[in-house]
Amino acid sequence: MEYSPGDSRSTSKRKVIAVVGGGLVGALNACYFAKRGCGVELFESREDIRQAKIVRGRSINLALSHRGRQALKHVGMEEKIVSKGIPMNARMIHSLEGKRSPIPYGKKGQYILSVDRANLNKELLTAAEEYPNTKLNFGHKLLDWSIESGAMTFLRSDGTKMEIKADLIVGCDGAFSAIRKQFLRQSRFNYSQTYIPHGYMELTMPPKNGDFAMEPNFLHIWPRNSFMMIALPNLDKTFTCTLFMPFEEFEKITTGEQVLEFFQTYFPDSIPLLGEDALKRDFFRLPAQAMVSVKCSPYHMGNKCVIMGDAAHAVVPFYGQGMNAGFEDCLVFNEIMDQLNEDFNAVLPEYTRIRVPDDHAIADLAMYNYIEMRAHVNSKWFIFRKYLDNFLHFFMPNKIIPLYTMVTFTRTRYHEAVQRWQWQNKVINWSLFLCGTISAVGGTFLLIRHLPQSPSLLVDQLWARVQVLKGF
Ligand SMILES: Cc1cc2nc3c(=O)[nH]c(=O)nc-3n(C[C@H](O)[C@H](O)[C@H](O)COP(=O)(O)OP(=O)(O)OC[C@H]3O[C@@H](n4cnc5c(N)ncnc54)[C@H](O)[C@@H]3O)c2cc1C
Ligand SMILES: NC(=O)C1=CN([C@@H]2O[C@H](COP(=O)(O)OP(=O)(O)OC[C@H]3O[C@@H](n4cnc5c(N)ncnc54)[C@H](OP(=O)(O)O)[C@@H]3O)[C@@H](O)[C@H]2O)C=CC1
Ligand SMILES: Nc1ccccc1C(=O)C[C@H](N)C(=O)O
């Protein structure tokens, strides 16, 4: 089967777009292309998750923030998704002693949203399907495609193969993208992939007396320096707890008793909330999952193919930005399509030029945020700097903007946010250094001015003052 001008989804004017992958980014992209009137064919290797009893896949819930929301807004999906999200206003830090202290994400009214991954994916697929010019093909796994001809070969769930051509192939087939494999054969394609030595495991915290077991409007963190556990709330009043830890530490835990011992040592306050029996059982339900960071460039091949979402930039999950960046990819591509009159010869290279530095920046920031979440939040200096940054932002909202605010609550380009953060840090650290130096010099000067001639006199004077104070 081949779609070409004359086919029901392709007229001489209408371009046919093949979106490969019906995950979060593929489904949203289908809406974007359909909205501009293109004929859209979406191919997803799995069966339709809207009919599936069990939905497999990574992470039960996700943090949705400004970039993702803006991208959803453009296709009229923001309100629908936000209404089913749970606002998280702050990090809630759980100390080893069980003390809980919040660290706000931004100003009052600024929050990230915990949303259900499966529901989001289903809603986006339904939204895409509502466009008459879109067709969703489930159970179609891309095996191969040809850069020369643009022909794609799919394996269908009934075991048959089929070949398809389109005006543009949009690879949204995730971190292990089959579309990207062809890019690797091209000269001057840069690619790097890093598996971090840490894995993750999800555990469910059930409701307590019919309500959330902990404060719902927070992203809970148990930071233990070299590893951490986090928890995000769900609409059914459960929390999804995720333990991030080096694989070698996971491997040391082999029995239920060891699980309890580990939790008693590091997360004692979570045991009554997770339940001892459930903990001993669920810890071994699935092995710890790997996390990979993929950077590549360019994101396009000629005027035929472009990759977006995790296929172009899988990032480690610690900034809660992977999906948000993938959604912003769709928005940025759409903006460039408008600017360059849908001319793929111009749009694709421009998309690569604009987007690569930003996606590479968020990949690095995501690595950094793991250290911030598991270790820095334990440091008094970090907390002081957080409050100082927020204070300065309050008085100089356009001059000093905290990094987290730029990344999470604005559409400042990721790479510009990093540059600005580095500049702000220099200014703030130098100002603190100068203030410290001036106070030290001033203090010494005052001391010298009031200093008696000999050190023994100073001791006498101090002693006299102590006696006066004692009298009180
Ligand atoms: C633990 C964890 C927590 C996370 N938390 C957050 C968060 O809080 N906020 C956030 O913004 N991001 C988060 N992310 C990142 C987010 O999950 C990804 O960035 C997002 O899923 C990327 O969407 P995607 O559509 O590009 O890829 P995917 O969601 O992986 O979808 C790819 C789709 O392509 C299909 N496919 C694959 N191969 C083929 C093929 N050959 N043929 C046809 N179809 C194919 C797959 O079946 C899948 O449906 C998290 C990630 C992890 C691992
Ligand atoms: N940024 C990150 O850290 C990400 C991590 N992952 C990790 O990847 C794993 C699978 O992800 P998920 O989509 O949820 O589930 P699946 O196992 O269902 O994988 C989906 C697709 O990715 C392919 N795939 C899975 N693992 C690998 C691998 N190691 N190498 C090459 N291809 C692979 C599968 O191909 P086939 O069907 O042919 O086996 C399948 O087409 C999880 O462990 C997850 O943690 C995934 C994406 C992002
Ligand atoms: N969704 C996540 C999944 C895994 C790890 C972190 C997150 C976060 O969202 C972290 C949040 N942005 C934070 O900085 O506190």
Side-chain angles (χ1 to χ4, degrees):
M1 189 164 63
E2 183 170 323
Y3 293 112
S4 51
D7 177 85
S8 61
R9 266 167 292 282
S10 173
T11 66
S12 53
K13 266 182 75 200
R14 186 188 272 178
K15 293 187 172 86
V16 173
I17 313 294
V19 175
V20 180
L24 301 174
V25 175
L28 180 64
N29 241 335
C31 296
Y32 268 84
F33 285 107
K35 191 179 171 198
R36 46 171 68 249
C38 304
V40 179
E41 289 279 348
L42 181 143
F43 300 97
E44 165 58 44
S45 59
R46 296 177 187 181
E47 293 308 319
D48 189 343
I49 53 165
R50 293 167 300 174
Q51 262 101 63
K53 285 206 182 78
I54 306 164
V55 181
R56 285 191 319 128
R58 269 158 289 130
S59 82
I60 290 153
N61 49 25
L62 299 144
L64 174 70
S65 50
H66 183 73
R67 295 169 202 266
R69 287 180 64 164
Q70 288 299 107
L72 290 170
K73 189 178 182 169
H74 187 82
V75 289
M77 291 296 289
E78 189 192 13
E79 270 327 298
K80 199 169 210 167
I81 302 304
V82 168
S83 65
K84 288 197 179 154
I86 303 177
M88 298 182 287
N89 302 300
R91 292 173 176 162
M92 180 66 91
I93 308 298
H94 293 239
S95 75
L96 204 52
E97 294 75 36
K99 198 175 146 238
R100 297 178 191 183
S101 7
I103 309 176
Y105 276 126
K107 288 192 274 205
K108 207 164 178 262
Q110 282 182 324
Y111 53 81
I112 55 179
L113 280 158
S114 176
V115 299
D116 182 285
R117 179 193 286 269
N119 178 61
L120 176 57
N121 207 159
K122 287 176 189 173
E123 294 281 12
L124 288 172
L125 288 169
T126 300
E129 209 169 36
E130 273 162 14
Y131 291 93
N133 44 332
T134 297
K135 182 162 177 252
L136 308 183
N137 305 278
F138 296 100
H140 282 64
K141 179 171 181 163
L142 180 93
L143 293 180
D144 204 2
W145 69 282
S146 153
I147 289 183
E148 290 73 38
S149 68
M152 293 166 280
T153 310
F154 287 95
L155 176 66
R156 288 197 279 217
S157 33
D158 62 6
T160 57
K161 285 187 184 171
M162 72 175 206
E163 199 163 280
I164 282 174
K165 268 187 181 176
D167 294 309
L168 179 69
I169 301 168
V170 186
C172 302
D173 50 347
F176 310 105
S177 168
I179 291 283
R180 194 182 60 216
K181 280 197 190 112
Q182 283 298 332
F183 282 48
L184 286 163
R185 293 195 191 162
Q186 293 295 298
S187 151
R188 297 176 63 211
F189 179 68
N190 296 312
Y191 179 81
S192 73
Q193 168 182 310
T194 310
Y195 275 95
I196 60 167
H198 293 230
Y200 73 90
M201 175 178 286
E202 290 184 314
L203 300 162
T204 303
M205 184 181 284
K208 201 175 153 193
N209 305 325
D211 206 352
F212 284 102
M214 304 184 293
E215 303 84 342
N217 295 114
F218 295 89
L219 190 152
H220 292 260
I221 312 178
W222 290 256
R224 298 295 176 259
N225 295 317
S226 55
F227 61 95
M228 69 175 183
M229 184 164 79
I230 65 166
L232 273 73
N234 299 309
L235 272 187
D236 62 2
K237 297 194 186 332
T238 61
F239 276 92
T240 302
C241 301
T242 314
L243 173 60
F244 295 96
M245 193 164 72
F247 275 105
E248 56 192 36
E249 298 300 324
F250 274 113
E251 281 152 17
K252 285 183 192 157
I253 303 171
T254 53
T255 65
E257 285 314 309
Q258 285 171 340
V259 175
L260 277 190
E261 207 177 299
F262 172 77
F263 272 75
Q264 251 140 22
T265 312
Y266 295 108
F267 315 118
D269 62 332
S270 73
I271 300 179
L273 307 177
L274 286 161
E276 287 195 8
D277 291 339
L279 198 49
K280 284 201 257 180
R281 187 187 59 231
D282 295 347
F283 197 89
F284 300 104
R285 218 166 30 91
L286 274 177
Q289 305 287 298
M291 285 169 284
V292 68
S293 187
V294 171
K295 276 185 185 172
C296 66
S297 167
Y299 288 164
H300 72 285
M301 280 291 142
N303 61 1
K304 269 267 161 274
C305 181
V306 61
I307 48 177
M308 294 192 207
D310 277 16
H313 49 80
V315 301
V316 290
F318 305 110
Y319 224 114
Q321 282 292 313
M323 164 195 65
N324 285 287
F327 280 2
E328 196 181 40
D329 288 348
C330 306
L331 192 50
V332 169
F333 191 85
N334 190 61
E335 285 161 0
I336 298 173
M337 285 278 272
D338 285 343
Q339 285 157 18
L340 301 175
N341 291 325
E342 301 188 3
D343 173 7
F344 294 149
N345 288 307
V347 169
L348 269 55
E350 179 64 0
Y351 175 74
T352 287
R353 191 184 72 78
I354 295 284
R355 205 55 189 156
V356 166
D358 291 328
D359 290 332
H360 287 194
I362 191 58
D364 297 337
L365 282 174
M367 290 281 189
Y368 157 79
N369 211 47
Y370 188 23
I371 306 169
E372 176 168 319
M373 289 181 79
R374 66 177 152 86
H376 291 176
V377 292
N378 289 324
S379 128
K380 293 219 162 58
W381 170 251
F382 172 82
I383 306 283
F384 165 73
R385 272 305 305 272
K386 258 252 140 47
Y387 280 100
L388 179 66
D389 287 5
N390 289 342
F391 175 80
L392 294 173
H393 180 52
F394 182 79
F395 286 104
M396 295 179 275
N398 300 321
K399 288 267 172 326
I400 302 286
I401 311 175
L403 173 69
Y404 198 85
T405 301
M406 286 190 275
V407 169
T408 312
F409 303 123
T410 74
R411 276 199 64 208
T412 307
R413 292 185 60 188
Y414 288 124
H415 87 276
E416 284 174 7
V418 172
Q419 283 168 356
R420 195 176 171 141
W421 174 47
Q422 287 163 345
W423 173 82
Q424 287 178 177
N425 268 346
K426 264 193 202 145
V427 172
I428 295 172
N429 287 340
W430 268 105
S431 308
L432 285 173
F433 175 73
L434 277 179
C435 286
T437 312
I438 290 167
S439 322
V441 171
T444 315
F445 175 74
L446 283 176
L447 199 66
I448 291 170
R449 262 193 66 189
H450 293 96
L451 203 66
Q453 282 83 351
S454 84
S456 63
L457 261 177
L458 174 67
V459 173
D460 287 349
Q461 274 192 3
L462 281 173
W463 181 245
R465 286 201 182 166
V466 168
Q467 296 311 313
V468 172
L469 283 174
K470 265 185 162 176
F472 283 104

